[in-house]
């Protein structure tokens, strides 16, 4: 009896710039042979195929190993984007240094004003408070207007100088800090909840200004970074608003914010990429049956140009950079309020604060390993050092002779371990086993950080009071 062999072919689409090749390949056919048959030659290190995840697809991969309906892109690594400099614009960056220092001075002034308003609210009388509020608010609006006119000008526009070209979302820290300071100093010293209301007002003011700057910015990278900053500020304002509504002490929202920092840093990379649903899979062409009766097929996405890919990566990098910077600042600032003391009179709060400090430090130190950019590498580590310093200061204030002796012994052992590890690490030693151990401790720290923050905020005591009342 004769038998017939049924061959299942794989449908693959290859994008080559404006061109498109739709192939139906036999299972044993390699990609190199299939492309060679249509006149496209792959060259190692020069022309290669890239899959949906941005990972190179080997040329010797057979069609049977591909997903039916896969979309691959042909990439030429020798292609470079030409950066045009408009007439009259200086390509040097020297003129950006004085302008950048002005924005950092504004940020320092706003931070100093907020510090005075929060730590010494009674030191400012009513008349001076009104004057400082008007000055800070006017400075925030004026600097935000200047920022929007410079950073909102796209690259290549007439009149865009070298200083404008380097004026990104980092320079917006000046107006945002002034807005936070204006909101904080505007709250007069009240009999209760002065600090909570001041922080809540400052966060809301800074979030509104950040949102407005994100709207007026016409550069996609700057708009994406400021959008992430706005969302984080709104989330922090919600935490402080909830604490204000429940009449909690200032350590409660600070503990919640500090415990949420490792979780937010871990979840941040999952929110970076914003692409249309049909970018990686052409549903209209390859989907034979709908998953639901009311399913709407996404619109077909055309060829993806190199400039669009660079812009997508730029927006994602900006979100990661802005979110990491702001969350590191939040961890460093809230540590002093979340860990005011280590008093063992309340065992749950005492254990929660110790666990919170340990989890946050481990999560920040171990999580920074995955970053290759220097700023993303060192900002969480600097925040971790601040948390360690605050925790040690709180421990020393409440420590007795026995605890001080134990702390000194632990510090000695830690110093010996660090000294022993410096030499092999400095010589480039790497260990996959220790890396996996670090991943386990990082995950445990991230998972336990927020529950530890809830314990440190005395959430159980608040619930008991609510149930008893």
């Amino acid at each position: 009896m004769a038998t017939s062999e049924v061959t299942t072919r794989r449908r693959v689409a290859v994008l080559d710039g404006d061109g498109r090749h739709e192939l139906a390949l036999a299972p044993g056919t390699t990609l190199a042979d299939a492309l060679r048959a249509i006149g496209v030659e792959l060259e190692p290190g020069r022309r290669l195929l890239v899959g949906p995840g941005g990972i190179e697809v080997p040329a010797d991969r057979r069609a049977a190993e591909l997903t039916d309906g896969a979309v691959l892109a042909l990439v030429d690594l020798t292609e470079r984007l030409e950066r045009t400099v408009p007439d009259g614009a200086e390509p040097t960056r020297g003129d950006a240094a004085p302008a950048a220092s002005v924005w950092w001075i504004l940020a320092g002034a706003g931070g100093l004003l907020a510090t005075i308003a929060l730590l010494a609210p009674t030191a400012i009388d009513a008349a001076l408070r009104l004057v400082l509020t008007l000055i800070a608010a006017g400075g925030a609006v004026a600097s935000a207007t200047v920022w929007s006119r410079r950073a909102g000008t796209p690259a290549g526009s007439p009149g865009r100088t070298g200083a404008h070209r380097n004026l990104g979302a980092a320079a917006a820290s000046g107006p945002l800090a002034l807005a936070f300071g204006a909101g904080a100093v505007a709250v007069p010293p009240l009999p209760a909840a002065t600090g909570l209301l001041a922080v809540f007002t400052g966060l809301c003011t800074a979030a509104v200004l950040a949102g407005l700057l994100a709207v007026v910015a016409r550069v996609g990278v700057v708009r994406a970074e400021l959008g992430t900053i706005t969302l984080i500020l709104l989330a922090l304002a919600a935490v402080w608003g909830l604490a204000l509504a429940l009449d909690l002490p200032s350590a409660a929202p600070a503990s919640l914010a500090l415990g949420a920092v490792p979780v937010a840093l871990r979840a941040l990379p999952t929110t970076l990429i914003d692409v249309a649903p049909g970018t990686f899979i052409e549903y209209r062409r390859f989907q034979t049956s709908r998953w639901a009766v009311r399913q709407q097929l996404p619109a077909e996405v055309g060829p993806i140009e190199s400039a669009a890919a660079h812009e997508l990566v730029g927006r994602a990098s900006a979100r990661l950079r802005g979110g990491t910077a702001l969350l590191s600042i939040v961890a460093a600032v809230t540590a002093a309020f979340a860990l005011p003391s280590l008093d063992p009179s309340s065992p749950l709060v005492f254990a929660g604060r110790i666990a919170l400090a340990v989890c946050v430090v481990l999560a920040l130190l171990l999580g920074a390993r995955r970053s290759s950019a220097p700023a993303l590498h060192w900002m969480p580590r600097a925040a971790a050092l601040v948390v360690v310093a605050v925790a040690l200061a709180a421990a020393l204030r409440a420590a007795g002779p026995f605890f001080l002796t134990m702390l000194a012994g632990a510090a000695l052992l830690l110093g010996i371990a660090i000294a022993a590890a410096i030499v092999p690490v400095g010589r480039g030693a790497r260990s996959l086993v220790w890396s996996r151990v670090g991943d386990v401790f990082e995950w445990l720290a991230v998972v336990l950080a927020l529950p530890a923050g809830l314990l440190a905020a005395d959430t159980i005591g608040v619930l008991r009071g609510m149930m008893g009342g």
Side-chain angles (χ1 to χ4, degrees):
M1 183 174 63
T3 59
S4 60
E5 181 180 356
V6 179
T7 302
T8 302
R9 294 181 176 270
R10 291 289 190 269
R11 295 174 296 176
V12 179
V14 178
L15 304 180
D16 184 7
D18 295 333
R20 174 191 180 91
H21 306 283
E22 295 185 3
L23 309 175
L25 306 178
T29 306
T30 63
L31 290 175
D33 295 337
L35 293 178
R36 191 178 300 112
I38 61 175
V40 178
E41 191 71 29
L42 296 178
E43 300 179 20
R46 185 179 183 274
R47 301 189 73 187
L48 48 89
L49 286 174
V50 176
I55 302 175
E56 179 184 357
V57 179
D60 58 352
R61 177 166 295 180
R62 299 185 181 276
E65 304 175 15
L66 300 174
T67 305
D68 189 31
V71 180
L72 306 178
L74 188 63
V75 179
D76 190 350
L77 298 180
T78 61
E79 180 184 352
R80 293 291 184 271
L81 289 177
E82 295 184 1
R83 186 174 183 179
T84 58
V85 180
D87 297 336
E90 297 294 334
T92 60
R93 300 182 60 182
D95 52 354
S101 62
V102 173
W103 302 105
W104 290 115
I105 291 175
L106 292 178
L112 179 62
L113 181 61
T115 302
I116 296 175
L118 293 176
L119 298 183
T122 58
I124 308 176
D125 56 15
L128 181 59
R129 186 178 297 275
L130 178 61
V131 172
L132 291 177
T133 302
L134 294 177
I135 292 176
V141 173
S143 57
T145 303
V146 175
W147 181 92
S148 63
R149 295 184 62 182
R150 294 185 176 183
T153 306
S157 301
R160 184 174 172 88
T161 64
H164 298 170
R165 191 162 43 246
N166 293 284
L167 191 58
S173 59
L176 295 182
L178 283 177
F180 180 83
V185 78
V187 178
L190 301 175
T194 302
L196 290 178
L197 184 58
V199 174
F200 175 74
T201 307
L203 289 174
C204 290
T205 308
V208 170
L209 184 59
L212 292 176
L213 293 180
V215 171
V216 300
R218 287 173 285 176
V219 181
V221 172
V222 178
R223 187 166 56 248
E225 188 171 356
L226 284 173
T228 302
I229 292 175
T230 304
L231 293 178
I232 296 176
L233 290 175
L234 289 176
L236 292 173
V239 172
W240 257 265
L242 180 62
L244 185 63
L246 297 178
D247 193 19
L248 300 178
S250 58
S255 300
L256 291 177
L258 184 59
V261 165
V263 181
L265 283 175
R266 188 67 181 181
L268 185 61
T270 62
T271 63
L272 300 179
I273 304 296
D274 53 346
V275 295
T279 301
F280 298 142
I281 300 177
E282 298 190 18
Y283 291 90
R284 294 182 181 274
R285 185 174 300 273
F286 296 110
Q287 186 172 3
T288 57
S289 61
R290 301 197 179 191
W291 297 331
V293 177
R294 298 181 180 180
Q295 179 189 2
Q296 298 293 329
L297 294 179
E300 183 177 354
V301 179
I304 301 176
E305 304 293 340
S306 178
H310 279 278
E311 184 180 358
L312 175 63
V313 174
R315 291 198 303 268
S317 301
R319 291 189 182 97
L320 181 61
R321 182 172 57 249
T324 303
L326 182 55
L327 290 173
S328 300
I329 294 174
V330 169
V333 173
T334 57
F337 300 95
L339 306 171
S341 63
L342 295 178
D343 187 6
S345 59
S346 179
L348 289 179
V349 176
F350 176 70
R353 288 178 178 177
I354 293 179
L356 177 61
V358 173
C359 291
V360 170
V361 170
L362 286 178
L364 292 178
L365 290 179
L366 297 176
R369 300 174 301 157
R370 295 184 301 272
S371 301
S372 57
L376 301 180
H377 196 68
W378 290 108
M379 282 188 297
R381 295 186 175 184
L385 291 179
V386 174
V387 176
V388 169
V390 171
L392 287 178
L396 291 177
R397 287 195 298 268
F402 177 75
F403 183 79
L404 288 177
T405 304
M406 296 294 294
L407 186 62
L412 178 61
L413 294 177
L414 180 62
I416 294 175
I418 293 176
I422 284 178
V423 176
V425 172
R427 293 178 178 177
R430 297 292 185 270
S431 174
L432 183 60
V433 176
W434 285 109
S435 179
R436 293 295 178 264
V437 172
D439 292 338
V440 172
F441 278 97
E442 180 189 354
W443 272 108
L444 289 175
V446 171
V447 170
L448 297 177
L450 190 55
L454 293 174
L455 280 180
D458 197 15
T459 307
I460 297 179
V462 173
L463 293 176
R464 286 175 178 173
M466 294 175 62
M467 297 296 293

